[in-house]
Amino acid sequence: MFRLTIILHLFIGATLSGVGLIAVLVAGYGSGWTLAGAALAGFVLAFPVSYAVARAMAGDE
């Protein structure tokens, strides 16, 4: 299940980072640190989300 979690993290992490970047830009913040923080937050938040999705896909609820 670890491999599935890592593969899902690639896609979920990119999606959440992109959503965070768009949200920050729409809010009117455009500095580099703010954008990097939003991307990092999406990357970190994707770990538990990927694990939950992998468990649901594997049927280990």
Side-chain angles (χ1 to χ4, degrees):
M1 190 167 75
F2 180 73
R3 290 177 67 190
L4 178 60
T5 303
I6 295 301
I7 292 170
L8 287 171
H9 185 267
L10 292 171
F11 299 106
I12 295 172
T15 302
L16 290 178
S17 293
V19 168
L21 288 174
I22 296 300
V24 166
L25 288 172
V26 168
Y29 301 105
S31 70
W33 287 107
T34 308
L35 295 174
L40 182 65
F43 176 79
V44 171
L45 185 64
F47 281 110
V49 173
S50 299
Y51 181 71
V53 171
R55 281 187 59 189
M57 288 176 68
D60 296 338
E61 293 185 37

